[in-house]
Amino acid sequence: MPQTWVTWQAYNDFNSIIKNELRLQSLSEKITYYDEVLTMSARMNAVTANSVWERRYRQFEPLLDAVIKESIQLAPEVYNNQDAKETDLANKRLVEMEYKSFDLVRKGQALAARSLLLSSQYESEKRKYASGVNKINQAIAILIDERVLKYKIYLLWSIGGSVTSLAFLIPSWLLVLRLLKNYLTTSKMAQITLRDLNYELEMRVEKRAKELRYKNDQLTQTLQKLQQTQLQLIQTEKMSSLGEMVAGIAHEINNPITFVKNNVSYVKEYSQDLLNLIRSYQDYYTQPPDIIQVQINEIDLEFIQGDFIKILNSIEYGTDRVEKIVKSLRNFSRLDEAEIKSVDIHEGIDSTLMILSHRLTAIDKHPEILLIKEYASLPLVECYPGLLNQVFMNILVNAIDALHEYNWQRTDDEIKNSPSRIQICTHQMNESWIQIRIIDNGIGIPENIRDKLFNPFFTTKPLGKGTGIGLSISYQIIVEKHTGKLYCNSTEEQGTEFVIEIPITQNSSTFTN
């Protein structure tokens, strides 16, 4: 009979709804668990560089895929919408970043892998994926409710048919009552089971979240310590290499230059005596023999007499210049002054400018950069001279690079009307502190970048032209080594100012603006 068939169909639909509901809940829990396992395995692989975590990742990855496929089979309409597609895209991007982290670890770039998995992009995709999974779970709940509603419609239709044909459908009616009783009992049991499952899942998720937060805090602390250690190693290696370079230059150049300089004065004196002797001969023998006159004309004796002393003066100037360069290199590195020492800050700035002088002059397509020094009268300052000079070098190099890049974007008329310049100002803020300001009139720094300037390995320069450690090291030197302050003021299209504030003596580091 049709009525019996409808009742039987409702009964089968009910069993299917209950079975699918419980299975979908179980699959949702497994998806959450496997996703957490994959994320943890990828991050632990980046932290420990141990391949066992990558093998664990590969082990659980097909399990997650199988669970997702089964969930799609049970509720295909839930996975055929825009939210599900965006969730799938977020999952693919997460897998791509996790695969990339494995590749970086295998190449010995564990630090880059950790940075990738702790990046804002990775966290953003995680949030998108989690949000999408939640939406899918909500859609599944709605689907189940719709199926229950459909069952109720079948049931009402069956009851209506039974009323009209009660005499013929009493057995069917009793079956319906039995089904209804079974439905209520099963529904109650399903609700209790679902409540227990939800509670257990919430407890497990909360416990897992606490564990992940704790591990993430540990990873963050470890990463910060590794970055600081790496910066210190880089700084030590850089200063060591600089020391070897300076020592080599001083040894190879200083001795011959000193020899030349010490003897050029005698050469000038002897040359002047010889020239005077030649003039005396010319005054006494006004008509020399023809053969001597020919030689005088051939060598242009008059020109030699005027130009020879000029050549010697040029040689003397050149040796003075080389001596100043060697002295500036020594003063810049200050490798023999590893401890705190009272020094003239202006001397360190000038030594750095001497080393960078070739980058300030007009070369090829780079126009000249004007240098404006506004030095106030400063006392001697207690500091680590070599480290402080390194800060001057990093900031000035960045300013020069920024001005060169800005000039590439400007026309010749714009450069002529507003020449590139770097202004260095110093003044004593009070009896305990001094301030150094290094200002350029370049393109400026966008606000969203200024907050990241002193982060380790952050750079806006193209790959291969910047390491992102210069300003981070400078900040560490000023703030940690000298208990001072280093900050940046910048307005786009107007220029950038870096401000250094340090105490005059290291026991007067407390300062109030």
Side-chain angles (χ1 to χ4, degrees), residues 379 427-434 504 508 510-513:
H427 81 278
Q428 185 171 348
M429 304 172 70
N430 56 31
E431 62 182 10
S432 302
W433 284 70
I434 67 162
I504 297 172
S508 63
T510 301
F511 172 70
T512 302
N513 286 322

Side-chain angles (χ1 to χ4, degrees), residues 20 59 99 109 127 188 203 301 310 313 343 370 469:
N20 287 351
Q59 176 185 354
Y99 277 15
Q109 301 178 22
R127 288 192 295 271
K188 184 176 181 180
M203 295 301 296
L301 180 60
K310 294 180 181 179
N313 288 335
V343 299
L370 302 178
I469 64 173

Side-chain angles (χ1 to χ4, degrees), residues 279-469:
R279 291 192 187 95
S280 297
Y281 268 96
Q282 287 178 322
D283 292 340
Y284 189 78
Y285 295 103
T286 56
Q287 296 295 328
D290 291 342
I291 187 171
I292 293 178
Q293 186 62 47
V294 169
Q295 290 181 353
I296 290 173
N297 294 335
E298 286 179 350
I299 66 175
D300 197 352
L301 180 60
E302 183 178 355
F303 174 78
I304 291 176
Q305 288 175 329
D307 193 54
F308 192 50
I309 297 301
K310 294 180 181 179
I311 293 174
L312 293 177
N313 288 335
S314 297
I315 293 173
E316 188 174 34
Y317 172 79
T319 56
D320 289 339
R321 176 72 174 171
V322 173
E323 274 194 333
K324 289 179 180 178
I325 293 173
V326 172
K327 181 180 178 182
S328 296
L329 286 172
R330 283 177 168 175
N331 185 58
F332 171 76
S333 64
R334 298 272 192 174
L335 296 178
D336 56 338
E337 299 173 10
E339 301 299 328
I340 290 178
K341 182 178 180 181
S342 295
V343 299
D344 182 356
I345 293 295
H346 296 152
E347 186 178 286
I349 297 174
D350 289 339
S351 297
T352 307
L353 291 171
M354 172 71 77
I355 295 172
L356 295 174
S357 59
H358 67 287
R359 298 203 61 194
L360 299 172
T361 57
I363 300 176
D364 297 331
K365 297 182 180 180
H366 294 307
E368 179 185 10
I369 297 176
L370 302 178
L371 183 64
I372 302 171
K373 294 192 289 187
E374 297 179 2
Y375 290 170
S377 177
L378 298 181
L380 297 180
V381 177
E382 289 184 359
C383 63
Y384 296 91
L387 296 180
L388 201 58
N389 290 341
Q390 185 70 27
V391 175
F392 299 149
M393 173 69 78
N394 289 334
I395 295 176
L396 286 168
V397 166
N398 283 344
I400 293 171
D401 290 341
L403 289 171
H404 285 331
E405 182 179 354
Y406 185 37
N407 285 332
W408 277 104
Q409 306 173 20
R410 300 200 294 168
T411 64
D412 292 340
D413 290 338
E414 289 175 335
I415 295 174
K416 183 178 180 181
N417 294 331
S418 178
S420 298
R421 69 176 185 273
I422 293 177
Q423 184 177 0
I424 305 175
C425 306
T426 64
H427 81 278
Q428 185 171 348
M429 304 172 70
N430 56 31
E431 62 182 10
S432 302
W433 284 70
I434 67 162
Q435 183 185 78
I436 304 138
R437 297 161 55 224
I438 300 176
I439 310 162
D440 67 66
N441 64 335
I443 197 170
I445 302 173
E447 184 177 355
N448 62 326
I449 292 179
R450 287 201 294 272
D451 295 337
K452 305 176 185 178
L453 284 178
F454 302 113
N455 291 348
F457 307 108
F458 174 80
T459 180
T460 58
K461 295 179 181 179
L463 184 64
K465 293 188 177 181
T467 61
I469 64 173

Side-chain angles (χ1 to χ4, degrees), residues 103-104 180:
D103 186 55
L104 290 171
L180 182 58

Side-chain angles (χ1 to χ4, degrees), residues 488-500:
C488 172
N489 301 317
S490 183
T491 302
E492 291 190 64
E493 306 296 337
Q494 294 186 21
T496 301
E497 173 190 57
F498 280 90
V499 182
I500 302 168

Side-chain angles (χ1 to χ4, degrees), residues 62-107:
L63 299 179
L64 177 60
D65 292 339
V67 170
I68 293 174
K69 288 179 181 177
E70 183 179 355
S71 184
I72 293 173
Q73 289 177 352
L74 292 176
E77 56 269 48
V78 173
Y79 289 87
N80 191 23
N81 56 44
Q82 187 61 32
D83 288 339
K85 292 178 181 178
E86 291 179 357
T87 303
D88 184 58
L89 288 175
N91 181 51
K92 289 180 179 179
R93 287 190 285 267
L94 286 172
V95 172
E96 288 176 357
M97 286 188 279
E98 288 163 354
Y99 277 15
K100 185 176 180 180
S101 74
F102 292 142
D103 186 55
L104 290 171
V105 170
R106 287 193 295 271
K107 292 179 180 179

